[in-house]
Amino acid sequence: MKRRDIAFAAGALAYALSTTALAQSSADWVEVRGEKELRALYSNKTHRGRDYVGHYRDDGKSLYVSNETRTPIAQTWATKGDDQVCITTSAGVSCYRFQRNRKKPDDVMATFVAQPVTFFFKVEEGIPKF
């Protein structure tokens, strides 16, 4: 077997296992819906993801800091309808839908509306001054 084939097989197996694990635990996740709930997810909150931290003020201003570059990026956030939050940067607008873990409500799963991309973050109370 070639290295490329081994790498592909390993990747396919990892994908299959992660998809199965997510499907088995889908009952643990509940949609975050309604402007009040969406605002509560962002207003004066810090989001810690694997590769970033975001700080979100209740007035719609926010800072995003990548763990790689450590350079703060100014952005804004706003609710859209009863099921999305949209983030605006100099690069454009990205909208997301959310689910919260029933057992650990600070664990949140976000899904990018334009593409089937999902990521996880932890919500913390409070933000630094900016």
Side-chain angles (χ1 to χ4, degrees), residues 50-61:
R50 186 180 71 180
D51 301 325
Y52 75 96
V53 63
H55 305 289
Y56 302 90
R57 293 191 334 202
D58 63 355
D59 66 0
K61 294 183 180 177

Side-chain angles (χ1 to χ4, degrees), residues 4-19:
R4 184 188 68 188
D5 295 334
I6 293 170
F8 177 77
L13 178 61
Y15 174 78
L17 292 174
S18 66
T19 302

Side-chain angles (χ1 to χ4, degrees), residues 47-54 56 63-73 117-122:
H47 295 180
R48 290 197 189 276
R50 186 180 71 180
D51 301 325
Y52 75 96
V53 63
Y56 302 90
L63 284 178
Y64 171 91
V65 183
S66 162
N67 291 347
E68 185 177 327
T69 64
R70 304 261 186 224
T71 302
I73 298 171
V117 175
T118 299
F119 60 94
F120 298 86
F121 61 89
K122 188 167 286 293

Side-chain angles (χ1 to χ4, degrees), residues 28-103:
D28 291 337
W29 297 90
V30 61
E31 288 186 45
V32 178
R33 295 188 61 92
E35 184 177 359
K36 183 178 177 181
E37 289 297 316
L38 292 167
R39 287 193 60 75
L41 186 62
Y42 274 81
S43 294
N44 294 320
K45 299 293 192 296
T46 293
H47 295 180
R48 290 197 189 276
R50 186 180 71 180
D51 301 325
Y52 75 96
V53 63
H55 305 289
Y56 302 90
R57 293 191 334 202
D58 63 355
D59 66 0
K61 294 183 180 177
S62 60
L63 284 178
Y64 171 91
V65 183
S66 162
N67 291 347
E68 185 177 327
T69 64
R70 304 261 186 224
T71 302
I73 298 171
Q75 51 187 24
T76 60
W77 68 272
T79 60
K80 179 181 177 184
D82 72 340
D83 67 342
Q84 296 177 37
V85 171
C86 296
I87 306 293
T88 303
T89 67
S90 60
V93 179
S94 300
C95 297
Y96 304 89
R97 290 189 176 101
F98 304 92
Q99 293 182 343
R100 203 183 272 279
N101 189 290
R102 289 181 195 270
K103 297 174 184 173

